Amino acid sequence: MKISYYPGCTLKTKAKELDVTARLCAKALGVEMEEIENWQCCGAVYPMGTDEIATKLSAVRALDYAKHHGGKLLTLCSACHNVIKRTNEDMKSNEDMQFRANNYMKLDEPYKGETEVLHYLEMLKNVIGFDVIKKAVVKPLNRKIGAYYGCLLLRPSGVMAFDNPENPTIIEDFIRAIGGTPVTYPFRNECCGAYVSLKNSELPKQKSRKVLMSAKEKGAEEVITACPLCLYNLQANGDGILPVKYFTELLAEALGVEQ
Amino acid sequence: MTKQERVENMQRLSGTDVRKCMKCGKCSGRCPAFKEMDIKPHQFVSMLERGKIDELLACDAIWNCLSCMACVERCPRGVAPAAVVEAVRDTVVRMQGKNGITAEEIPPIVDEFIPQQLLVSAYRKYNK
Ligand code: SF4
Ligand code: SF4
Ligand code: SF4
Ligand code: SF4
């Protein structure tokens, strides 16, 4: 099975291991991730201002491409997923955005939010199935692992529809599937401090430390994320309280996939 | 532009209905940047409703909001305080010489591990 894939700029540079391990694991599980052509950076943050159109067009282009290439668009970086999914919702339900974006793009057929945006974790759960993954595991990870959701996968939940925003379970289910023991801790859906470090470096420091302390107190031995910025914030500010990895690195380890 | 028009523009830019706020403070209670905000999330909503935009445009809180959407998630009235903060930040950043961060300020704070995502998002939020 093939699926159109939007990697995003960070996964081509600082977060290569997230991209590489995800592709190898998908392949091992029977899914070919086909990188879409000529994608551009999505901008990393969803512009909320109602007059923002041009800033969302790279997401719309990727979505329109996927519409003609299988109808689904797979994302992996939490930020890309957030921007693309929210932009898709605009294209589906906001007439003004739909009209103005299509006016700009001059497509043969207007884009109206037809593509289904799918995060890699949703693919694992709903397309491949955690039970199938469980059977494919050759090296169960007998470790206590804390899932770090952060914000971008979950909120705003009305649009993201990813999981219960206050009590998510998908990454814990993923951890079980690869043979680990999930550790639930209160700060797993708290923000790590996001982009504010360039403006006020103290804030991400406090926030990130709190996340890792909270995971450690509940017994986690490591923390996993799907977001390169979460990883950076937690590593740069966490004083090594706990190791932080991409969830796909653990999947590769469990599946015995060589990098 | 009259003051009233400026207020209405900002309300439109936010895309959220500030009149629906019932002033319960739940948004501020959930805000992870609360301590760092000189104007709190619930105050953004009520001040924009009352047209107190000069105070909003001069505040520091717009640089500390994380756009984490926790306030939006908690609001029982479907108001989006984060979008009000963004409307204020956009209005400030779009003014001549009011960027929250400039290109020159970035190289000295960049380390070798910084993901592109951080630079792109900070630039989007703080620069026009
Ligand atoms: S969200 Fe990040 S990784 Fe994704 S394209 Fe945008 S900046 Fe790049
Ligand atoms: S926790 Fe921080 S970096 Fe991670 S998703 Fe939220 S804002 Fe992004
Ligand atoms: S989006 Fe901003 S105002 Fe709202 S809870 Fe997060 S940091 Fe606070
Ligand atoms: S949570 Fe909603 S209703 Fe309550 S103060 Fe905040 S914006 Fe107003």
Side-chain angles (χ1 to χ4, degrees), chain A residues 42-77:
Chain A
C42 68
V45 281
Y46 171 81
M48 286 181 270
T50 49
D51 62 358
E52 295 276 353
I53 303 289
T55 41
K56 295 178 186 165
L57 291 181
S58 68
V60 180
R61 276 189 203 102
L63 286 160
D64 182 63
Y65 181 95
K67 172 180 155 184
H68 299 286
H69 292 82
K72 287 190 174 68
L73 184 57
L74 182 70
T75 57
L76 182 50
C77 162

Tab-separated table of all heavy atoms in Angstrom, chain A residues 42-77:
chain	number	residue	atom	x	y	z
A	42	CYS	N	5.485	24.315	5.583
A	42	CYS	CA	4.108	24.683	5.920
A	42	CYS	C	4.054	25.933	6.784
A	42	CYS	O	2.981	26.471	7.036
A	42	CYS	CB	3.435	23.528	6.634
A	42	CYS	SG	4.134	23.233	8.266
A	43	GLY	N	5.203	26.371	7.304
A	43	GLY	CA	5.202	27.569	8.140
A	43	GLY	C	5.249	27.276	9.623
A	43	GLY	O	5.393	28.182	10.435
A	44	ALA	N	5.055	26.007	9.992
A	44	ALA	CA	5.247	25.520	11.362
A	44	ALA	C	4.212	25.962	12.396
A	44	ALA	O	4.001	25.281	13.389
A	44	ALA	CB	6.650	25.840	11.884
A	45	VAL	N	3.592	27.109	12.204
A	45	VAL	CA	2.509	27.500	13.116
A	45	VAL	C	1.290	27.899	12.290
A	45	VAL	O	1.428	28.574	11.272
A	45	VAL	CB	2.905	28.675	14.054
A	45	VAL	CG1	3.751	28.175	15.203
A	45	VAL	CG2	3.627	29.780	13.296
A	46	TYR	N	0.134	27.480	12.753
A	46	TYR	CA	-1.098	27.810	12.030
A	46	TYR	C	-1.442	29.279	12.279
A	46	TYR	O	-1.584	29.693	13.430
A	46	TYR	CB	-2.224	26.900	12.527
A	46	TYR	CG	-3.584	27.297	12.006
A	46	TYR	CD1	-3.981	26.914	10.732
A	46	TYR	CD2	-4.456	28.060	12.789
A	46	TYR	CE1	-5.228	27.286	10.243
A	46	TYR	CE2	-5.698	28.426	12.305
A	46	TYR	CZ	-6.071	28.041	11.033
A	46	TYR	OH	-7.302	28.410	10.557
A	47	PRO	N	-1.553	30.075	11.218
A	47	PRO	CA	-1.880	31.490	11.425
A	47	PRO	C	-3.371	31.638	11.748
A	47	PRO	O	-4.225	31.240	10.962
A	47	PRO	CB	-1.554	32.132	10.070
A	47	PRO	CG	-0.877	31.059	9.251
A	47	PRO	CD	-1.331	29.766	9.806
A	48	MET	N	-3.667	32.184	12.913
A	48	MET	CA	-5.066	32.256	13.346
A	48	MET	C	-5.817	33.466	12.798
A	48	MET	O	-7.029	33.479	12.761
A	48	MET	CB	-5.137	32.265	14.873
A	48	MET	CG	-4.854	30.910	15.484
A	48	MET	SD	-4.962	30.936	17.297
A	48	MET	CE	-3.277	31.337	17.749
A	49	GLY	N	-5.100	34.517	12.415
A	49	GLY	CA	-5.756	35.729	11.925
A	49	GLY	C	-6.680	35.411	10.746
A	49	GLY	O	-6.295	34.673	9.844
A	50	THR	N	-7.885	35.983	10.769
A	50	THR	CA	-8.871	35.620	9.738
A	50	THR	C	-8.493	36.151	8.358
A	50	THR	O	-9.078	35.722	7.370
A	50	THR	CB	-10.268	36.160	10.107
A	50	THR	OG1	-10.130	37.542	10.469
A	50	THR	CG2	-10.876	35.391	11.265
A	51	ASP	N	-7.538	37.062	8.277
A	51	ASP	CA	-7.145	37.567	6.954
A	51	ASP	C	-5.919	36.847	6.395
A	51	ASP	O	-5.386	37.223	5.363
A	51	ASP	CB	-6.896	39.083	7.009
A	51	ASP	CG	-5.752	39.452	7.954
A	51	ASP	OD1	-5.184	38.540	8.576
A	51	ASP	OD2	-5.446	40.652	8.063
A	52	GLU	N	-5.459	35.820	7.083
A	52	GLU	CA	-4.259	35.095	6.641
A	52	GLU	C	-4.635	34.077	5.563
A	52	GLU	O	-5.314	33.097	5.838
A	52	GLU	CB	-3.615	34.352	7.822
A	52	GLU	CG	-3.086	35.259	8.903
A	52	GLU	CD	-1.675	35.794	8.616
A	52	GLU	OE1	-1.054	35.358	7.634
A	52	GLU	OE2	-1.222	36.652	9.397
A	53	ILE	N	-4.176	34.299	4.348
A	53	ILE	CA	-4.457	33.362	3.255
A	53	ILE	C	-3.131	32.862	2.679
A	53	ILE	O	-2.862	31.657	2.655
A	53	ILE	CB	-5.266	34.032	2.115
A	53	ILE	CG1	-6.571	34.629	2.645
A	53	ILE	CG2	-5.543	33.009	0.995
A	53	ILE	CD1	-7.619	33.644	3.056
A	54	ALA	N	-2.285	33.792	2.240
A	54	ALA	CA	-1.038	33.422	1.564
A	54	ALA	C	-0.176	32.496	2.423
A	54	ALA	O	0.446	31.562	1.913
A	54	ALA	CB	-0.252	34.680	1.200
A	55	THR	N	-0.195	32.737	3.744
A	55	THR	CA	0.621	31.931	4.651
A	55	THR	C	0.147	30.475	4.733
A	55	THR	O	0.851	29.630	5.263
A	55	THR	CB	0.581	32.527	6.069
A	55	THR	OG1	-0.762	32.952	6.341
A	55	THR	CG2	1.509	33.728	6.190
A	56	LYS	N	-1.069	30.203	4.238
A	56	LYS	CA	-1.584	28.834	4.335
A	56	LYS	C	-1.512	28.094	3.010
A	56	LYS	O	-1.866	26.915	2.926
A	56	LYS	CB	-3.042	28.862	4.802
A	56	LYS	CG	-3.230	29.408	6.204
A	56	LYS	CD	-4.715	29.440	6.524
A	56	LYS	CE	-4.995	30.114	7.843
A	56	LYS	NZ	-6.432	30.452	7.956
A	57	LEU	N	-1.054	28.791	1.954
A	57	LEU	CA	-1.140	28.171	0.624
A	57	LEU	C	-0.221	26.967	0.433
A	57	LEU	O	-0.563	26.052	-0.322
A	57	LEU	CB	-0.878	29.217	-0.473
A	57	LEU	CG	-1.980	30.276	-0.614
A	57	LEU	CD1	-1.620	31.243	-1.736
A	57	LEU	CD2	-3.342	29.653	-0.868
A	58	SER	N	0.924	26.940	1.117
A	58	SER	CA	1.783	25.768	0.913
A	58	SER	C	1.073	24.516	1.434
A	58	SER	O	1.178	23.447	0.838
A	58	SER	CB	3.151	25.958	1.554
A	58	SER	OG	3.044	25.976	2.941
A	59	ALA	N	0.339	24.670	2.525
A	59	ALA	CA	-0.440	23.531	3.036
A	59	ALA	C	-1.524	23.146	2.040
A	59	ALA	O	-1.750	21.958	1.768
A	59	ALA	CB	-1.048	23.870	4.388
A	60	VAL	N	-2.182	24.149	1.468
A	60	VAL	CA	-3.268	23.855	0.510
A	60	VAL	C	-2.705	23.131	-0.717
A	60	VAL	O	-3.303	22.170	-1.213
A	60	VAL	CB	-4.010	25.144	0.087
A	60	VAL	CG1	-5.120	24.821	-0.909
A	60	VAL	CG2	-4.586	25.864	1.298
A	61	ARG	N	-1.538	23.568	-1.180
A	61	ARG	CA	-0.922	22.902	-2.344
A	61	ARG	C	-0.641	21.436	-2.057
A	61	ARG	O	-0.914	20.568	-2.877
A	61	ARG	CB	0.394	23.601	-2.712
A	61	ARG	CG	0.164	24.793	-3.588
A	61	ARG	CD	1.470	25.372	-4.146
A	61	ARG	NE	1.195	26.762	-4.472
A	61	ARG	CZ	1.555	27.795	-3.725
A	61	ARG	NH1	2.271	27.611	-2.636
A	61	ARG	NH2	1.216	29.019	-4.064
A	62	ALA	N	-0.088	21.176	-0.884
A	62	ALA	CA	0.211	19.788	-0.515
A	62	ALA	C	-1.077	18.964	-0.441
A	62	ALA	O	-1.140	17.832	-0.908
A	62	ALA	CB	0.943	19.763	0.826
A	63	LEU	N	-2.104	19.576	0.122
A	63	LEU	CA	-3.389	18.885	0.255
A	63	LEU	C	-4.000	18.582	-1.114
A	63	LEU	O	-4.530	17.493	-1.348
A	63	LEU	CB	-4.359	19.747	1.072
A	63	LEU	CG	-4.073	19.804	2.581
A	63	LEU	CD1	-4.737	21.017	3.220
A	63	LEU	CD2	-4.542	18.511	3.254
A	64	ASP	N	-3.905	19.550	-2.016
A	64	ASP	CA	-4.478	19.348	-3.345
A	64	ASP	C	-3.704	18.263	-4.096
A	64	ASP	O	-4.293	17.432	-4.788
A	64	ASP	CB	-4.464	20.663	-4.133
A	64	ASP	CG	-5.101	20.492	-5.501
A	64	ASP	OD1	-6.317	20.184	-5.538
A	64	ASP	OD2	-4.397	20.614	-6.523
A	65	TYR	N	-2.399	18.252	-3.936
A	65	TYR	CA	-1.587	17.208	-4.581
A	65	TYR	C	-2.046	15.827	-4.085
A	65	TYR	O	-2.277	14.909	-4.871
A	65	TYR	CB	-0.105	17.431	-4.268
A	65	TYR	CG	0.805	16.410	-4.915
A	65	TYR	CD1	1.428	16.665	-6.135
A	65	TYR	CD2	1.038	15.172	-4.293
A	65	TYR	CE1	2.262	15.720	-6.728
A	65	TYR	CE2	1.865	14.227	-4.873
A	65	TYR	CZ	2.474	14.500	-6.087
A	65	TYR	OH	3.292	13.560	-6.669
A	66	ALA	N	-2.196	15.717	-2.775
A	66	ALA	CA	-2.581	14.425	-2.197
A	66	ALA	C	-3.981	14.008	-2.639
A	66	ALA	O	-4.271	12.824	-2.802
A	66	ALA	CB	-2.508	14.499	-0.675
A	67	LYS	N	-4.834	14.999	-2.852
A	67	LYS	CA	-6.192	14.695	-3.320
A	67	LYS	C	-6.130	13.883	-4.616
A	67	LYS	O	-6.931	12.972	-4.827
A	67	LYS	CB	-6.941	16.016	-3.547
A	67	LYS	CG	-8.297	15.872	-4.218
A	67	LYS	CD	-8.939	17.239	-4.396
A	67	LYS	CE	-9.937	17.231	-5.541
A	67	LYS	NZ	-10.498	18.578	-5.776
A	68	HIS	N	-5.159	14.218	-5.479
A	68	HIS	CA	-5.033	13.513	-6.754
A	68	HIS	C	-4.068	12.333	-6.686
A	68	HIS	O	-3.787	11.705	-7.691
A	68	HIS	CB	-4.578	14.497	-7.844
A	68	HIS	CG	-5.558	15.613	-8.045
A	68	HIS	ND1	-6.759	15.436	-8.684
A	68	HIS	CD2	-5.532	16.910	-7.648
A	68	HIS	CE1	-7.422	16.581	-8.692
A	68	HIS	NE2	-6.703	17.494	-8.064
A	69	HIS	N	-3.522	12.089	-5.499
A	69	HIS	CA	-2.577	10.980	-5.348
A	69	HIS	C	-2.976	10.153	-4.135
A	69	HIS	O	-2.294	10.154	-3.114
A	69	HIS	CB	-1.139	11.501	-5.223
A	69	HIS	CG	-0.625	12.134	-6.469
A	69	HIS	ND1	-0.910	13.438	-6.811
A	69	HIS	CD2	0.118	11.640	-7.491
A	69	HIS	CE1	-0.350	13.727	-7.980
A	69	HIS	NE2	0.279	12.649	-8.414
A	70	GLY	N	-4.076	9.497	-4.242
A	70	GLY	CA	-4.507	8.568	-3.205
A	70	GLY	C	-5.531	9.105	-2.223
A	70	GLY	O	-6.158	8.355	-1.491
A	71	GLY	N	-5.652	10.442	-2.144
A	71	GLY	CA	-6.716	11.007	-1.307
A	71	GLY	C	-6.365	11.158	0.166
A	71	GLY	O	-7.148	11.691	0.948
A	72	LYS	N	-5.190	10.655	0.555
A	72	LYS	CA	-4.783	10.809	1.958
A	72	LYS	C	-3.439	11.525	1.993
A	72	LYS	O	-2.616	11.347	1.100
A	72	LYS	CB	-4.592	9.439	2.618
A	72	LYS	CG	-5.874	8.685	2.905
A	72	LYS	CD	-5.549	7.478	3.786
A	72	LYS	CE	-6.775	6.732	4.262
A	72	LYS	NZ	-7.512	6.041	3.200
A	73	LEU	N	-3.214	12.317	3.055
A	73	LEU	CA	-1.914	12.960	3.221
A	73	LEU	C	-1.377	12.599	4.600
A	73	LEU	O	-1.978	12.918	5.623
A	73	LEU	CB	-2.020	14.480	3.061
A	73	LEU	CG	-0.682	15.233	3.131
A	73	LEU	CD1	0.304	14.732	2.087
A	73	LEU	CD2	-0.894	16.736	2.948
A	74	LEU	N	-0.254	11.899	4.581
A	74	LEU	CA	0.369	11.451	5.821
A	74	LEU	C	1.346	12.509	6.330
A	74	LEU	O	2.150	13.036	5.575
A	74	LEU	CB	1.118	10.141	5.553
A	74	LEU	CG	1.801	9.487	6.751
A	74	LEU	CD1	0.773	8.921	7.723
A	74	LEU	CD2	2.754	8.381	6.288
A	75	THR	N	1.257	12.802	7.631
A	75	THR	CA	2.174	13.750	8.262
A	75	THR	C	2.888	13.040	9.401
A	75	THR	O	2.427	11.986	9.869
A	75	THR	CB	1.415	14.947	8.853
A	75	THR	OG1	0.447	14.431	9.772
A	75	THR	CG2	0.718	15.761	7.784
A	76	LEU	N	3.975	13.647	9.867
A	76	LEU	CA	4.739	13.007	10.939
A	76	LEU	C	5.133	14.032	12.009
A	76	LEU	O	4.927	13.828	13.192
A	76	LEU	CB	5.970	12.338	10.313
A	76	LEU	CG	6.919	11.558	11.193
A	76	LEU	CD1	6.196	10.557	12.068
A	76	LEU	CD2	7.935	10.826	10.314
A	77	CYS	N	5.675	15.160	11.586
A	77	CYS	CA	5.994	16.256	12.504
A	77	CYS	C	4.673	16.789	13.078
A	77	CYS	O	3.728	17.054	12.333
A	77	CYS	CB	6.722	17.346	11.718
A	77	CYS	SG	6.773	18.972	12.497
